[in-house]
Amino acid sequence: MVIITKQQYVEYLICTIGNYTSSNLAEHLDDVSHDVITDYLSNERHTAHGLWELVERLIQDGPESFMLVDDSVQDKRYSQFIELVKLQYSGAEHGLVRGIGIVNLVHSAGDQKDFYPIDYRIYAPDQDGKTKNEHFSGMVINAVFAKKIKAKRILFDSWYASAENLKLVHRLELTFFTTLKSNRMVSLSKEGGWIHLNEIEWTWERLQNGVTVKLKEVPFKVQLFKVVATDGDIDWVITNGSDETLTTQAAQEANDVRWQIEELHRSLKQLTGTEKCQCRKGRSQRNHIACCYHAWLSLKVKAKALGKTLYQTKDDLWSDYLRAELAAPRIHAFMPA
C-alpha cells in the first residue's frame, strides 16, 4: 500500500514554491495519488506537543529570556466550506477577515538572538468554546509548570492585557511588558480618581522614567511609560517589574523583542504555506499547520548552520536549478531565422 509520511509532507512544504496544495504534491510524487495525501492529512493527529519535543533542546532558556504571545490569522477569505474558518480581526489586514486563528507562544533568548515557537493553539471557539485569553492562560501555565520554562519576562500586546491575564502573570512571578489601549483608565493616587492615559501630565521626568499607576481591577501597581515613535505614534507600555531604575528606553527595548513573533507569523505564511491548504476538514487543517511549524523549524536549523536568513536558505534551494537551466536550458529562446 502506497502511503505518505510526515517527513515527506514536511520536506514538500520546505522545497515547494507558491503552490502548497495536495494536488501539486501528488503530481510530483511517483505512485502517490491526491487521495493518499488527503487521507494522510485527515487521519493523522499532529499537535503542538510534537513541536515542543523538537524545539526543547534548541532554546536558550534562562531567567533573562522572554516568552512572547500573539495571534495570527491564516487568511481563508475565499474559502466557503473549510472547517475552523470564521470571521475575525486580523492585525495584518487591520480589519475583519475570514480565516483560521492561531495563538502562538514563542521563546526568545532576547533581541537579535534566537527565537522558537514552543506552543500554539488553534482559535476555534465553535469547536472547543475557548477564547483567545483562555488559550493565553493555558499556554503560559503549561510553559511554567509542564515545560519548566525559566524565562521570567513575558511580552504581549493590548489584546491580552486584561486584568485577569495581568493578575495571572503576576501570580506566576513573571515580569510582563505589555501595551494598553488609549482608553484604559488609570489612577495616580486615591485622591485623583480614575483618568484616561492621555490625561496624565507628562513631565520630562515622567517621560524619561515613567510613572507608577493603578489599573482598574488589578490589585498591584504598575509602571507606565509613554513611548513616542519617530512618526508620532504613541505606545503606552506597562510592566509589573520591580526595578525602580527602569527607564522608558529600557522598557521600549524590552517591549520591542515582541516583534520577533511577527517575524514568525510572516515567515510561516510566506515560507511554509500555512494559509494555502485547501482541505475542508478541520483535522486536515490542523495537521497541515502542525507540519508547517515543523517545516519552519527545519528551515531555521539549516539557516542557523549556514549563517543565513530563512528566506535566503529557501531561495538557495532553487539556485542550483536556475544555474543548471542557464547552463543547459531545456527550453531555448525561440529565435526566428
Side-chain angles (χ1 to χ4, degrees):
M1 178 181 178
V2 178
I3 62 171
I4 182 173
T5 65
K6 183 183 182 184
Q7 180 176 344
Q8 286 176 299
Y9 192 79
V10 169
E11 289 172 350
Y12 165 64
L13 297 177
I14 292 171
C15 66
T16 189
I17 299 292
N19 191 339
Y20 295 85
T21 61
S22 298
S23 56
N24 185 52
L25 173 56
E27 290 174 5
H28 293 85
L29 277 180
D30 295 335
D31 301 322
V32 175
S33 69
H34 175 268
D35 289 343
V36 168
I37 300 167
T38 55
D39 286 348
Y40 164 78
L41 288 174
S42 63
N43 293 326
E44 292 296 314
R45 192 173 182 83
H46 303 312
T47 67
H49 182 70
L51 173 65
W52 169 244
E53 291 179 333
L54 293 171
V55 302
E56 182 178 6
R57 291 172 292 179
L58 300 177
I59 62 173
Q60 302 172 40
D61 191 27
E64 297 302 310
S65 302
F66 295 83
M67 288 188 285
L68 324 174
V69 183
D70 200 1
D71 55 83
S72 173
V73 177
Q74 314 311 300
D75 194 330
K76 301 282 189 179
R77 69 182 69 192
Y78 302 114
S79 304
Q80 300 299 318
F81 305 105
I82 294 179
E83 296 175 6
L84 305 180
V85 172
K86 70 186 305 294
L87 190 66
Q88 54 195 297
Y89 180 80
S90 168
E93 297 293 328
H94 302 290
L96 296 175
V97 66
R98 284 176 51 80
I100 298 176
I102 307 176
V103 185
N104 282 296
L105 176 62
V106 168
H107 182 282
S108 170
D111 187 35
Q112 306 299 319
K113 296 181 181 178
D114 269 350
F115 64 91
Y116 296 91
I118 60 173
D119 204 351
Y120 67 89
R121 296 287 185 271
I122 305 296
Y123 173 55
D126 295 337
Q127 283 72 31
D128 59 24
K130 292 185 177 181
T131 66
K132 290 181 180 179
N133 282 311
E134 287 173 325
H135 287 310
F136 172 96
S137 60
M139 289 195 296
V140 174
I141 290 171
N142 182 268
V144 172
F145 294 108
K147 294 183 172 66
K148 306 296 183 183
I149 296 296
K150 299 175 183 177
K152 289 298 182 182
R153 294 179 287 183
I154 183 168
L155 314 177
F156 45 92
D157 67 13
S158 58
W159 180 275
Y160 297 98
S162 67
E164 290 304 313
N165 285 345
L166 298 182
K167 288 188 286 187
L168 168 66
V169 171
H170 195 70
R171 287 197 302 271
L172 294 174
E173 299 182 347
L174 301 175
T175 299
F176 60 72
F177 289 86
T178 185
T179 54
L180 297 180
K181 294 182 179 178
S182 58
N183 62 355
R184 197 75 174 254
M185 302 290 287
V186 300
S187 174
L188 297 175
S189 65
K190 290 183 178 179
E191 298 76 22
W194 299 103
I195 60 175
H196 285 106
L197 294 174
N198 54 13
E199 295 180 274
I200 297 174
E201 181 182 350
W202 286 95
T203 64
W204 184 90
E205 173 65 24
R206 287 176 173 177
L207 286 172
Q208 298 301 309
N209 301 303
V211 59
T212 302
V213 300
K214 181 82 164 55
L215 297 174
K216 275 191 174 182
E217 301 180 1
V218 176
F220 51 87
K221 292 184 177 181
V222 299
Q223 195 74 0
L224 170 68
F225 302 91
K226 183 180 181 180
V227 178
V228 183
T230 54
D231 60 2
D233 285 349
I234 296 174
D235 276 337
W236 305 98
V237 178
I238 60 168
T239 180
N240 62 332
S242 57
D243 184 358
E244 296 181 355
T245 65
L246 188 66
T247 64
T248 299
Q249 181 178 351
Q252 180 181 8
E253 290 172 354
N255 188 57
D256 284 348
V257 177
R258 183 165 54 88
W259 290 106
Q260 289 179 336
I261 202 169
E262 298 295 339
E263 293 182 37
L264 170 71
H265 293 165
R266 182 174 60 254
S267 54
L268 267 171
K269 292 178 181 180
Q270 295 178 350
L271 299 179
T272 73
T274 52
E275 299 177 314
K276 303 301 183 181
C277 179
Q278 298 177 2
C279 295
R280 294 185 177 184
K281 291 185 178 181
R283 173 48 53 193
S284 299
Q285 290 290 335
R286 290 177 184 273
N287 285 329
H288 170 77
I289 289 169
C291 288
C292 286
Y293 280 93
H294 194 156
W296 184 94
L297 180 62
S298 302
L299 282 168
K300 172 83 170 183
V301 171
K302 186 64 174 180
K304 185 178 179 181
L306 295 174
K308 297 184 177 182
T309 68
L310 274 71
Y311 291 89
Q312 290 170 333
T313 302
K314 181 145 185 172
D315 286 345
D316 283 350
L317 296 175
W318 290 87
S319 293
D320 291 341
Y321 160 79
L322 182 57
R323 290 190 184 96
E325 285 298 309
L326 291 173
R330 286 176 288 179
I331 301 176
H332 293 276
F334 173 69
M335 303 298 291

